[in-house]
Amino acid sequence: MQLIEATLFVAGKPVSIEFLKNTVLDEFNVSLKRIKHNLSELQLHYSSRGICLVEVASGFRFQSNPSLAPWLNKIWPEKAPRYSRALLETLSLIAYRQPITRGEIEQVRGVAVSSQIMKQLQDREWIQIVGHKEVPGRPALYATTKLFLDYFSLTGLDNLPELPQLQQSKIDQLLRDPSVSELSE
């Protein structure tokens, strides 16, 4: 358990169970079940402390307890990046409807998606091209990455918050019928 704990502290990025088994624990005959048990024990141990052990898409990592954020934010004088509504809407559509083309995003949003937004999302490695749609022009299909899931502390897409049913049905309708003009509430 100490070796797992120390590895998670010094890794600087999420660590998978397989990585633990194949690197720092390779000379020990430790089962995946035992590693998972030790990780659960560590999660329990740190649950009431200033840091906590969380599982994200790429593995496990230590992070500060979210309840301490108001005080810890004083350490970094610069502000976190502010993202435009257009960027967040685009990212949300990709996350919830992936794989999706840029044209389908524009269809739902009702406006063109700037190249800068797509570049910014790709530069942050939150989205990637996962293929091309089999239609004329073969537009790129976009999907989110493990870094997207890690950044938002998600283990998988099934951990995304539920979309309100009304909003979901409007998106579905827009993707089926482009003549519907907007996504107003």
Side-chain angles (χ1 to χ4, degrees):
M1 188 178 303
Q2 289 177 333
L3 191 50
I4 292 171
E5 181 180 34
T7 302
L8 293 169
F9 267 115
V10 300
K13 62 181 182 180
V15 176
S16 71
I17 293 171
E18 293 78 18
F19 180 83
L20 286 168
K21 182 166 179 51
N22 296 328
T23 57
V24 297
L25 299 173
D26 68 337
E27 64 186 72
F28 305 100
N29 191 16
V30 181
S31 68
L32 292 175
K33 183 178 179 181
R34 178 73 177 171
I35 296 170
K36 289 177 186 176
H37 173 75
N38 284 330
L39 288 166
S40 295
E41 290 291 317
L42 285 169
Q43 283 180 310
L44 183 62
H45 174 75
Y46 283 99
S47 64
S48 62
R49 303 183 82 92
I51 58 172
C52 52
L53 179 60
V54 297
E55 184 178 7
V56 294
S58 299
F60 290 83
R61 70 176 178 205
F62 281 110
Q63 65 185 39
S64 61
N65 189 317
S67 66
L68 302 175
W71 298 278
L72 294 175
N73 285 337
K74 294 177 185 179
I75 295 172
W76 295 278
E78 70 274 356
K79 296 289 180 196
R82 305 255 322 145
Y83 299 109
S84 70
R85 180 179 179 147
L87 182 137
L88 293 174
E89 286 176 358
T90 301
L91 181 59
S92 296
L93 282 166
I94 294 169
Y96 282 97
R97 302 300 298 188
Q98 62 187 297
I100 189 170
T101 66
R102 189 169 168 172
E104 291 168 336
I105 295 167
E106 292 172 347
Q107 186 178 339
V108 172
R109 290 195 60 236
V111 295
V113 175
S114 84
S115 297
Q116 183 60 31
I117 286 175
M118 298 305 284
K119 180 176 177 359
Q120 188 174 3
L121 291 171
Q122 287 178 309
D123 287 349
R124 287 200 62 94
E125 296 181 47
W126 285 355
I127 65 167
Q128 65 185 357
I129 296 173
V130 295
H132 295 274
K133 194 165 187 173
E134 294 299 324
V135 296
R138 294 186 36 89
L141 288 166
Y142 294 95
T144 56
T145 64
K146 279 192 174 184
L147 284 176
F148 162 80
L149 296 171
D150 291 349
Y151 184 85
F152 291 100
S153 294
L154 301 168
T155 55
L157 294 172
D158 53 334
N159 297 117
L160 285 169
E162 291 279 329
L163 279 178
Q165 189 56 40
L166 178 62
Q167 205 67 7
Q168 182 64 49
S169 63
K170 285 183 181 180
I171 291 171
D172 291 341
Q173 182 181 8
L174 279 168
L175 289 172
R176 280 191 311 273
D177 181 7
S179 66
V180 177
S181 62
E182 62 183 64
L183 191 63
S184 61
E185 290 188 37

